[in-house]
Amino acid sequence: MKKILLIGTGGTIASQLTADGLAPELTSEQLLAQIPSISEICRVESVQLLNLDSTNIAPEHWLRMVRCIRKHYKDYDGFVLTHGTDTMAYTAAALSYLIQQSPKPIVLTGAQKPIGFDVTDSKANLKDAFRVASSDMPGVSLVFNGKVILGTRAQKIRSKSFEAFSSINYPALGVLRDGVLLPYIRQECGPEPVFYEALDTRVSLLKLIPGTDPALLDFLLERSDALVIESFGVGGLPEYEGADFCGSVCRWTERGRLVVLTTQVQNEGSDLGVYHVGHRLKAVPGVLEAFDMTTEAVTAKLMWILGQTRDAQQAQRLFYAPVAHDILWPAER
Ligand code: ASP
């Protein structure tokens, strides 16, 4: 029987009703006590790493998760992290960059309703996560509502329903039906995982609205090493009297900042070259394009890249190099 480590980090799954609303209070041991039949699937040991609402999860916590998995890697066959749903997709993306090529499964899960509620998705999600962690599906994934989603492709799409996550621009790795895992895609992996423990957190995101004040761009780029701009449709920057977005971007990229253009549309990604408003940006060194990547993956990847290098060309090369199928290889586009 496989031996799995449960790493508790908080979230709704571990929450209880308090006078001030739901707050994570249950320990990973208490979660396990709610699913005694887990002993039929695997042997479980647990650690309580954090107990946070995932709104409070920050990059330093991703590094703590990585260190915990690294420390215990040899002793277990797989890992389950319970986590709040709100930022789980960011954590799944971050762990995909910080732990690459893992031959063992590293599975994130959580729930929309606490484990102690009469109607809850907690028990099914937790048991499914242990099934995947005990399987032959390597690498980082997110298991939720019967779906196994690649860590770099997950996005939260519903704030209340059990069907909370979607796999964006990539098929689900598998599904779970009545406790049976049907694996469709097996991530490739190495003989050993490659761990990284450095991140540059000076990465920001600007979501455009019609009439965005161009001064916001300068404000953010002054304080960031990389800026992700979620623009409209296939991508572009506004160009009208008094709004020189393109000029600002050029000034900052000349000073070594990275700017990534992406889209606020959930599916199908960017294609900057299509319209005049985007086309001229393609020629600006230091301006990158997210194509089919999620914003969660783009922001985590930039933190991972800038944690390793300050060289703009190397950063650019790393950005477009696929990690855990986060971006389609350019030749496939
Ligand atoms: N606010 C909670 C969290 O992200 C929501 C959840 O877990 O579903 O921690």
Side-chain angles (χ1 to χ4, degrees):
M1 199 173 249
K2 296 268 178 87
K3 194 173 153 201
I4 309 299
L5 182 65
L6 169 64
I7 303 171
T9 76
T12 293
I13 193 168
S15 287
Q16 287 191 304
L17 257 183
T18 72
D20 304 321
L22 291 170
E25 290 186 338
L26 299 180
T27 63
S28 14
E29 278 304 319
Q30 287 171 312
L31 289 182
L32 285 173
Q34 297 277 343
I35 48 163
S37 62
I38 203 69
S39 60
E40 292 159 23
I41 300 172
C42 53
R43 278 201 294 141
V44 186
E45 290 174 6
S46 70
V47 292
Q48 189 66 44
L49 189 65
L50 310 161
N51 221 351
L52 295 176
D53 188 294
S54 75
T55 297
N56 294 326
I57 294 274
E60 74 197 66
H61 301 115
W62 301 336
L63 293 175
R64 285 180 62 184
M65 294 175 210
V66 171
R67 279 186 224 114
C68 178
I69 292 170
R70 185 175 204 165
K71 180 170 157 208
H72 295 289
Y73 198 82
K74 292 241 164 355
D75 306 325
Y76 295 91
D77 300 306
F79 301 85
V80 171
L81 293 104
T82 45
H83 193 291
T85 60
D86 292 345
T87 65
M88 198 192 300
Y90 285 94
T91 299
L95 294 185
S96 304
Y97 297 111
L98 295 169
I99 311 174
Q100 295 183 26
Q101 299 292 320
S102 170
K104 297 181 182 178
I106 298 168
V107 183
L108 285 129
T109 197
Q112 294 279 58
K113 296 285 174 218
I115 204 159
F117 279 23
D118 287 345
V119 177
T120 179
D121 50 341
S122 294
K123 293 176 188 175
N125 286 346
L126 199 49
K127 282 197 253 178
D128 282 348
F130 280 113
R131 288 184 180 105
V132 176
S134 308
S135 78
D136 186 28
M137 292 186 84
V140 178
S141 64
L142 187 154
V143 170
F144 215 92
N145 201 40
K147 265 193 293 197
V148 188
I149 300 173
L150 192 62
T152 54
R153 294 290 186 169
Q155 202 160 65
K156 186 167 179 181
I157 53 155
R158 289 193 181 83
S159 58
K160 297 177 182 174
S161 317
F162 290 173
E163 180 74 1
F165 287 91
S166 183
S167 182
I168 304 297
N169 299 328
Y170 199 80
L173 299 180
V175 294
L176 294 119
R177 295 281 176 263
D178 301 323
V180 178
L181 170 63
L182 306 172
Y184 299 148
I185 302 172
R186 189 177 187 278
Q187 286 195 67
E188 58 281 354
C189 62
E192 295 290 332
V194 183
F195 289 99
Y196 295 84
E197 289 195 27
L199 287 171
D200 173 1
T201 58
R202 283 172 47 95
V203 173
S204 339
L205 171 68
L206 173 63
K207 180 171 183 165
L208 296 185
I209 58 169
T212 293
D213 179 354
L216 290 177
L217 207 72
D218 293 307
F219 180 87
L220 288 171
L221 277 162
E222 214 175 300
R223 289 157 181 80
S224 313
D225 294 327
L227 174 67
V228 182
I229 304 177
E230 263 192 6
S231 67
F232 312 111
V234 288
L237 287 178
E239 42 187 9
Y240 49 83
E241 186 77 29
D244 188 14
F245 284 88
C246 193
S248 293
V249 165
C250 290
R251 272 195 305 283
W252 285 106
T253 51
E254 272 164 24
R255 289 158 72 172
R257 307 294 207 274
L258 288 179
V259 172
V260 180
L261 260 290
T262 187
T263 174
Q264 36 193 275
V265 181
Q266 194 173 43
N267 291 290
E268 299 175 358
S270 71
D271 195 353
L272 264 190
V274 175
Y275 295 100
H276 176 78
V277 286
H279 193 271
R280 65 218 165 115
L281 289 159
K282 284 187 83 82
V284 182
V287 174
L288 307 169
E289 176 172 2
F291 292 110
D292 57 316
M293 294 177 79
T294 64
T295 294
E296 290 84 340
V298 169
T299 47
K301 192 172 196 176
L302 288 169
M303 289 188 199
W304 167 70
I305 290 171
L306 294 172
Q308 299 174 73
T309 183
R310 288 282 154 191
D311 180 79
Q313 275 186 351
Q314 209 199 339
Q316 191 142 343
R317 193 187 54 73
L318 283 170
F319 185 79
Y320 288 128
V323 175
H325 298 281
D326 60 343
I327 184 168
L328 285 181
W329 187 246
E332 292 174 41
R333 274 195 287 268

PDB file of all heavy atoms in Angstrom, residues 2 10 13 34 49 51 55 60 73 111 135 138 150 161 173 199 219 225 258 272 274 276 318 320 327 333:
ATOM      1  N   LYS A   2       0.502   2.266  -0.819  1.00  0.00           N
ATOM      2  CA  LYS A   2       1.312   3.489  -0.929  1.00  0.00           C
ATOM      3  C   LYS A   2       1.236   4.308   0.364  1.00  0.00           C
ATOM      4  O   LYS A   2       0.228   4.294   1.077  1.00  0.00           O
ATOM      5  CB  LYS A   2       0.803   4.338  -2.095  1.00  0.00           C
ATOM      6  CG  LYS A   2       0.939   3.683  -3.461  1.00  0.00           C
ATOM      7  CD  LYS A   2       2.257   4.057  -4.101  1.00  0.00           C
ATOM      8  CE  LYS A   2       2.477   3.396  -5.445  1.00  0.00           C
ATOM      9  NZ  LYS A   2       1.924   4.130  -6.577  1.00  0.00           N
ATOM     10  N   GLY A  10      -4.782  24.857   5.300  1.00  0.00           N
ATOM     11  CA  GLY A  10      -5.963  25.662   5.651  1.00  0.00           C
ATOM     12  C   GLY A  10      -7.046  25.602   4.596  1.00  0.00           C
ATOM     13  O   GLY A  10      -7.252  24.573   3.962  1.00  0.00           O
ATOM     14  N   ILE A  13     -11.966  23.769   3.411  1.00  0.00           N
ATOM     15  CA  ILE A  13     -12.050  22.354   3.786  1.00  0.00           C
ATOM     16  C   ILE A  13     -11.790  22.178   5.292  1.00  0.00           C
ATOM     17  O   ILE A  13     -12.405  21.335   5.942  1.00  0.00           O
ATOM     18  CB  ILE A  13     -11.069  21.511   2.914  1.00  0.00           C
ATOM     19  CG1 ILE A  13     -11.351  20.021   3.057  1.00  0.00           C
ATOM     20  CG2 ILE A  13      -9.615  21.827   3.201  1.00  0.00           C
ATOM     21  CD1 ILE A  13     -10.626  19.158   2.025  1.00  0.00           C
ATOM     22  N   GLN A  34     -12.195  12.424   9.636  1.00  0.00           N
ATOM     23  CA  GLN A  34     -13.510  12.496   8.969  1.00  0.00           C
ATOM     24  C   GLN A  34     -13.631  11.503   7.809  1.00  0.00           C
ATOM     25  O   GLN A  34     -14.709  11.328   7.247  1.00  0.00           O
ATOM     26  CB  GLN A  34     -13.728  13.914   8.407  1.00  0.00           C
ATOM     27  CG  GLN A  34     -13.772  14.994   9.455  1.00  0.00           C
ATOM     28  CD  GLN A  34     -15.160  15.107  10.080  1.00  0.00           C
ATOM     29  OE1 GLN A  34     -16.140  14.616   9.538  1.00  0.00           O
ATOM     30  NE2 GLN A  34     -15.227  15.742  11.230  1.00  0.00           N
ATOM     31  N   LEU A  49       1.295  22.359   8.126  1.00  0.00           N
ATOM     32  CA  LEU A  49       2.298  23.362   7.744  1.00  0.00           C
ATOM     33  C   LEU A  49       1.804  24.773   8.033  1.00  0.00           C
ATOM     34  O   LEU A  49       2.535  25.616   8.552  1.00  0.00           O
ATOM     35  CB  LEU A  49       2.612  23.210   6.247  1.00  0.00           C
ATOM     36  CG  LEU A  49       3.765  24.021   5.708  1.00  0.00           C
ATOM     37  CD1 LEU A  49       5.088  23.590   6.331  1.00  0.00           C
ATOM     38  CD2 LEU A  49       3.837  23.912   4.181  1.00  0.00           C
ATOM     39  N   ASN A  51      -2.228  27.119   8.661  1.00  0.00           N
ATOM     40  CA  ASN A  51      -3.690  27.021   8.698  1.00  0.00           C
ATOM     41  C   ASN A  51      -4.259  28.389   8.334  1.00  0.00           C
ATOM     42  O   ASN A  51      -4.657  29.174   9.185  1.00  0.00           O
ATOM     43  CB  ASN A  51      -4.191  26.504  10.061  1.00  0.00           C
ATOM     44  CG  ASN A  51      -5.339  25.508   9.865  1.00  0.00           C
ATOM     45  OD1 ASN A  51      -5.843  25.357   8.747  1.00  0.00           O
ATOM     46  ND2 ASN A  51      -5.752  24.832  10.920  1.00  0.00           N
ATOM     47  N   THR A  55      -6.562  33.351   0.843  1.00  0.00           N
ATOM     48  CA  THR A  55      -6.393  34.774   0.536  1.00  0.00           C
ATOM     49  C   THR A  55      -5.094  35.280   1.172  1.00  0.00           C
ATOM     50  O   THR A  55      -4.477  36.227   0.682  1.00  0.00           O
ATOM     51  CB  THR A  55      -7.608  35.560   1.079  1.00  0.00           C
ATOM     52  OG1 THR A  55      -8.759  35.082   0.383  1.00  0.00           O
ATOM     53  CG2 THR A  55      -7.482  37.054   0.869  1.00  0.00           C
ATOM     54  N   GLU A  60       6.059  33.388  -0.020  1.00  0.00           N
ATOM     55  CA  GLU A  60       6.900  32.757   1.024  1.00  0.00           C
ATOM     56  C   GLU A  60       6.282  31.424   1.492  1.00  0.00           C
ATOM     57  O   GLU A  60       7.000  30.489   1.869  1.00  0.00           O
ATOM     58  CB  GLU A  60       7.061  33.720   2.219  1.00  0.00           C
ATOM     59  CG  GLU A  60       5.814  33.810   3.052  1.00  0.00           C
ATOM     60  CD  GLU A  60       5.747  35.011   3.998  1.00  0.00           C
ATOM     61  OE1 GLU A  60       5.674  36.139   3.499  1.00  0.00           O
ATOM     62  OE2 GLU A  60       5.735  34.775   5.204  1.00  0.00           O
ATOM     63  N   TYR A  73      10.553  14.081   0.726  1.00  0.00           N
ATOM     64  CA  TYR A  73      10.337  13.465  -0.593  1.00  0.00           C
ATOM     65  C   TYR A  73      10.661  11.969  -0.615  1.00  0.00           C
ATOM     66  O   TYR A  73       9.908  11.161  -1.147  1.00  0.00           O
ATOM     67  CB  TYR A  73      11.142  14.205  -1.668  1.00  0.00           C
ATOM     68  CG  TYR A  73      10.632  13.904  -3.062  1.00  0.00           C
ATOM     69  CD1 TYR A  73       9.536  14.576  -3.580  1.00  0.00           C
ATOM     70  CD2 TYR A  73      11.223  12.901  -3.840  1.00  0.00           C
ATOM     71  CE1 TYR A  73       9.031  14.284  -4.845  1.00  0.00           C
ATOM     72  CE2 TYR A  73      10.727  12.597  -5.101  1.00  0.00           C
ATOM     73  CZ  TYR A  73       9.636  13.296  -5.592  1.00  0.00           C
ATOM     74  OH  TYR A  73       9.137  12.989  -6.838  1.00  0.00           O
ATOM     75  N   ALA A 111     -12.012  22.473  -0.899  1.00  0.00           N
ATOM     76  CA  ALA A 111     -13.460  22.288  -1.012  1.00  0.00           C
ATOM     77  C   ALA A 111     -14.152  23.634  -0.995  1.00  0.00           C
ATOM     78  O   ALA A 111     -13.602  24.633  -0.527  1.00  0.00           O
ATOM     79  CB  ALA A 111     -13.965  21.420   0.132  1.00  0.00           C
ATOM     80  N   SER A 135      -1.550   7.001  -7.165  1.00  0.00           N
ATOM     81  CA  SER A 135      -1.549   6.432  -8.516  1.00  0.00           C
ATOM     82  C   SER A 135      -0.205   6.639  -9.186  1.00  0.00           C
ATOM     83  O   SER A 135       0.744   7.118  -8.590  1.00  0.00           O
ATOM     84  CB  SER A 135      -2.633   7.120  -9.359  1.00  0.00           C
ATOM     85  OG  SER A 135      -2.147   8.392  -9.772  1.00  0.00           O
ATOM     86  N   PRO A 138       2.401  11.231 -12.268  1.00  0.00           N
ATOM     87  CA  PRO A 138       3.442  12.049 -11.636  1.00  0.00           C
ATOM     88  C   PRO A 138       3.167  13.553 -11.768  1.00  0.00           C
ATOM     89  O   PRO A 138       2.266  13.964 -12.500  1.00  0.00           O
ATOM     90  CB  PRO A 138       4.690  11.677 -12.439  1.00  0.00           C
ATOM     91  CG  PRO A 138       4.191  11.250 -13.769  1.00  0.00           C
ATOM     92  CD  PRO A 138       2.801  10.704 -13.575  1.00  0.00           C
ATOM     93  N   LEU A 150      -3.944  19.685 -14.662  1.00  0.00           N
ATOM     94  CA  LEU A 150      -2.510  19.989 -14.627  1.00  0.00           C
ATOM     95  C   LEU A 150      -2.276  21.265 -13.804  1.00  0.00           C
ATOM     96  O   LEU A 150      -3.006  22.252 -13.971  1.00  0.00           O
ATOM     97  CB  LEU A 150      -2.064  20.196 -16.081  1.00  0.00           C
ATOM     98  CG  LEU A 150      -0.593  20.260 -16.404  1.00  0.00           C
ATOM     99  CD1 LEU A 150       0.101  18.957 -16.038  1.00  0.00           C
ATOM    100  CD2 LEU A 150      -0.426  20.516 -17.905  1.00  0.00           C
ATOM    101  N   SER A 161     -20.119  27.042  -6.482  1.00  0.00           N
ATOM    102  CA  SER A 161     -20.496  25.661  -6.856  1.00  0.00           C
ATOM    103  C   SER A 161     -19.343  24.692  -6.656  1.00  0.00           C
ATOM    104  O   SER A 161     -18.178  25.093  -6.633  1.00  0.00           O
ATOM    105  CB  SER A 161     -20.905  25.586  -8.324  1.00  0.00           C
ATOM    106  OG  SER A 161     -21.720  26.657  -8.666  1.00  0.00           O
ATOM    107  N   LEU A 173      -6.266  15.923 -17.065  1.00  0.00           N
ATOM    108  CA  LEU A 173      -5.362  14.760 -17.085  1.00  0.00           C
ATOM    109  C   LEU A 173      -6.112  13.458 -16.841  1.00  0.00           C
ATOM    110  O   LEU A 173      -5.631  12.375 -17.181  1.00  0.00           O
ATOM    111  CB  LEU A 173      -4.291  14.908 -16.002  1.00  0.00           C
ATOM    112  CG  LEU A 173      -3.363  16.113 -16.102  1.00  0.00           C
ATOM    113  CD1 LEU A 173      -2.359  16.108 -14.967  1.00  0.00           C
ATOM    114  CD2 LEU A 173      -2.651  16.121 -17.451  1.00  0.00           C
ATOM    115  N   LEU A 199      12.539  32.895  -5.515  1.00  0.00           N
ATOM    116  CA  LEU A 199      11.479  33.589  -6.240  1.00  0.00           C
ATOM    117  C   LEU A 199      11.733  35.087  -6.157  1.00  0.00           C
ATOM    118  O   LEU A 199      12.220  35.574  -5.139  1.00  0.00           O
ATOM    119  CB  LEU A 199      10.113  33.327  -5.573  1.00  0.00           C
ATOM    120  CG  LEU A 199       9.458  31.956  -5.713  1.00  0.00           C
ATOM    121  CD1 LEU A 199       8.252  31.891  -4.789  1.00  0.00           C
ATOM    122  CD2 LEU A 199       9.042  31.696  -7.143  1.00  0.00           C
ATOM    123  N   PHE A 219       3.315  53.703 -12.513  1.00  0.00           N
ATOM    124  CA  PHE A 219       3.287  53.447 -11.064  1.00  0.00           C
ATOM    125  C   PHE A 219       3.704  51.999 -10.779  1.00  0.00           C
ATOM    126  O   PHE A 219       4.541  51.733  -9.916  1.00  0.00           O
ATOM    127  CB  PHE A 219       1.870  53.716 -10.533  1.00  0.00           C
ATOM    128  CG  PHE A 219       1.734  53.488  -9.061  1.00  0.00           C
ATOM    129  CD1 PHE A 219       2.022  54.493  -8.153  1.00  0.00           C
ATOM    130  CD2 PHE A 219       1.320  52.254  -8.573  1.00  0.00           C
ATOM    131  CE1 PHE A 219       1.904  54.279  -6.786  1.00  0.00           C
ATOM    132  CE2 PHE A 219       1.203  52.037  -7.205  1.00  0.00           C
ATOM    133  CZ  PHE A 219       1.494  53.049  -6.316  1.00  0.00           C
ATOM    134  N   ASP A 225       9.649  44.252 -11.141  1.00  0.00           N
ATOM    135  CA  ASP A 225      10.644  43.787 -12.112  1.00  0.00           C
ATOM    136  C   ASP A 225       9.951  43.247 -13.352  1.00  0.00           C
ATOM    137  O   ASP A 225      10.548  43.183 -14.422  1.00  0.00           O
ATOM    138  CB  ASP A 225      11.522  42.700 -11.475  1.00  0.00           C
ATOM    139  CG  ASP A 225      12.362  43.279 -10.362  1.00  0.00           C
ATOM    140  OD1 ASP A 225      12.763  44.464 -10.472  1.00  0.00           O
ATOM    141  OD2 ASP A 225      12.592  42.588  -9.348  1.00  0.00           O
ATOM    142  N   LEU A 258      10.482  43.507 -17.525  1.00  0.00           N
ATOM    143  CA  LEU A 258       9.764  42.622 -18.439  1.00  0.00           C
ATOM    144  C   LEU A 258       8.289  42.992 -18.429  1.00  0.00           C
ATOM    145  O   LEU A 258       7.722  43.265 -17.364  1.00  0.00           O
ATOM    146  CB  LEU A 258       9.900  41.160 -17.990  1.00  0.00           C
ATOM    147  CG  LEU A 258      11.246  40.474 -18.179  1.00  0.00           C
ATOM    148  CD1 LEU A 258      11.165  39.044 -17.644  1.00  0.00           C
ATOM    149  CD2 LEU A 258      11.663  40.455 -19.641  1.00  0.00           C
ATOM    150  N   LEU A 272      -1.068  38.571 -30.281  1.00  0.00           N
ATOM    151  CA  LEU A 272      -0.815  40.008 -30.387  1.00  0.00           C
ATOM    152  C   LEU A 272      -0.704  40.553 -31.801  1.00  0.00           C
ATOM    153  O   LEU A 272      -0.994  41.725 -32.050  1.00  0.00           O
ATOM    154  CB  LEU A 272       0.511  40.327 -29.673  1.00  0.00           C
ATOM    155  CG  LEU A 272       0.511  40.819 -28.236  1.00  0.00           C
ATOM    156  CD1 LEU A 272       1.904  41.290 -27.874  1.00  0.00           C
ATOM    157  CD2 LEU A 272      -0.502  41.934 -28.039  1.00  0.00           C
ATOM    158  N   VAL A 274      -2.356  40.091 -34.423  1.00  0.00           N
ATOM    159  CA  VAL A 274      -3.549  40.176 -35.284  1.00  0.00           C
ATOM    160  C   VAL A 274      -3.978  41.614 -35.575  1.00  0.00           C
ATOM    161  O   VAL A 274      -4.263  41.972 -36.708  1.00  0.00           O
ATOM    162  CB  VAL A 274      -4.723  39.388 -34.649  1.00  0.00           C
ATOM    163  CG1 VAL A 274      -6.003  39.577 -35.465  1.00  0.00           C
ATOM    164  CG2 VAL A 274      -4.375  37.908 -34.552  1.00  0.00           C
ATOM    165  N   HIS A 276      -3.639  45.975 -35.196  1.00  0.00           N
ATOM    166  CA  HIS A 276      -2.664  47.053 -35.118  1.00  0.00           C
ATOM    167  C   HIS A 276      -2.336  47.400 -33.657  1.00  0.00           C
ATOM    168  O   HIS A 276      -1.176  47.645 -33.312  1.00  0.00           O
ATOM    169  CB  HIS A 276      -3.227  48.292 -35.843  1.00  0.00           C
ATOM    170  CG  HIS A 276      -2.334  49.471 -35.735  1.00  0.00           C
ATOM    171  ND1 HIS A 276      -1.203  49.616 -36.501  1.00  0.00           N
ATOM    172  CD2 HIS A 276      -2.384  50.553 -34.915  1.00  0.00           C
ATOM    173  CE1 HIS A 276      -0.604  50.735 -36.167  1.00  0.00           C
ATOM    174  NE2 HIS A 276      -1.297  51.327 -35.210  1.00  0.00           N
ATOM    175  N   LEU A 318      13.586  31.485 -21.109  1.00  0.00           N
ATOM    176  CA  LEU A 318      12.914  30.651 -20.098  1.00  0.00           C
ATOM    177  C   LEU A 318      11.401  30.830 -20.144  1.00  0.00           C
ATOM    178  O   LEU A 318      10.646  29.884 -19.931  1.00  0.00           O
ATOM    179  CB  LEU A 318      13.420  31.010 -18.691  1.00  0.00           C
ATOM    180  CG  LEU A 318      14.791  30.474 -18.306  1.00  0.00           C
ATOM    181  CD1 LEU A 318      15.262  31.102 -16.989  1.00  0.00           C
ATOM    182  CD2 LEU A 318      14.754  28.955 -18.173  1.00  0.00           C
ATOM    183  N   TYR A 320       9.436  31.374 -22.676  1.00  0.00           N
ATOM    184  CA  TYR A 320       8.780  30.626 -23.752  1.00  0.00           C
ATOM    185  C   TYR A 320       9.080  29.122 -23.718  1.00  0.00           C
ATOM    186  O   TYR A 320       8.488  28.362 -24.490  1.00  0.00           O
ATOM    187  CB  TYR A 320       9.166  31.209 -25.114  1.00  0.00           C
ATOM    188  CG  TYR A 320       8.508  32.553 -25.384  1.00  0.00           C
ATOM    189  CD1 TYR A 320       9.259  33.660 -25.765  1.00  0.00           C
ATOM    190  CD2 TYR A 320       7.132  32.706 -25.261  1.00  0.00           C
ATOM    191  CE1 TYR A 320       8.663  34.885 -26.018  1.00  0.00           C
ATOM    192  CE2 TYR A 320       6.522  33.930 -25.498  1.00  0.00           C
ATOM    193  CZ  TYR A 320       7.285  35.015 -25.872  1.00  0.00           C
ATOM    194  OH  TYR A 320       6.685  36.219 -26.103  1.00  0.00           O
ATOM    195  N   ILE A 327       2.665  26.119 -21.666  1.00  0.00           N
ATOM    196  CA  ILE A 327       2.530  26.909 -22.894  1.00  0.00           C
ATOM    197  C   ILE A 327       2.806  25.957 -24.051  1.00  0.00           C
ATOM    198  O   ILE A 327       3.669  25.076 -23.946  1.00  0.00           O
ATOM    199  CB  ILE A 327       3.528  28.102 -22.875  1.00  0.00           C
ATOM    200  CG1 ILE A 327       3.348  29.010 -24.084  1.00  0.00           C
ATOM    201  CG2 ILE A 327       4.963  27.653 -22.761  1.00  0.00           C
ATOM    202  CD1 ILE A 327       4.106  30.357 -23.964  1.00  0.00           C
ATOM    203  N   ARG A 333       1.999  26.176 -32.618  1.00  0.00           N
ATOM    204  CA  ARG A 333       0.971  27.212 -32.812  1.00  0.00           C
ATOM    205  C   ARG A 333       0.701  27.469 -34.285  1.00  0.00           C
ATOM    206  O   ARG A 333       1.589  27.410 -35.100  1.00  0.00           O
ATOM    207  CB  ARG A 333       1.421  28.515 -32.135  1.00  0.00           C
ATOM    208  CG  ARG A 333       1.049  28.542 -30.696  1.00  0.00           C
ATOM    209  CD  ARG A 333       1.169  29.921 -30.136  1.00  0.00           C
ATOM    210  NE  ARG A 333       2.565  30.277 -29.982  1.00  0.00           N
ATOM    211  CZ  ARG A 333       3.279  30.079 -28.874  1.00  0.00           C
ATOM    212  NH1 ARG A 333       2.702  29.556 -27.844  1.00  0.00           N
ATOM    213  NH2 ARG A 333       4.532  30.427 -28.814  1.00  0.00           N
TER     214      ARG A 333
END
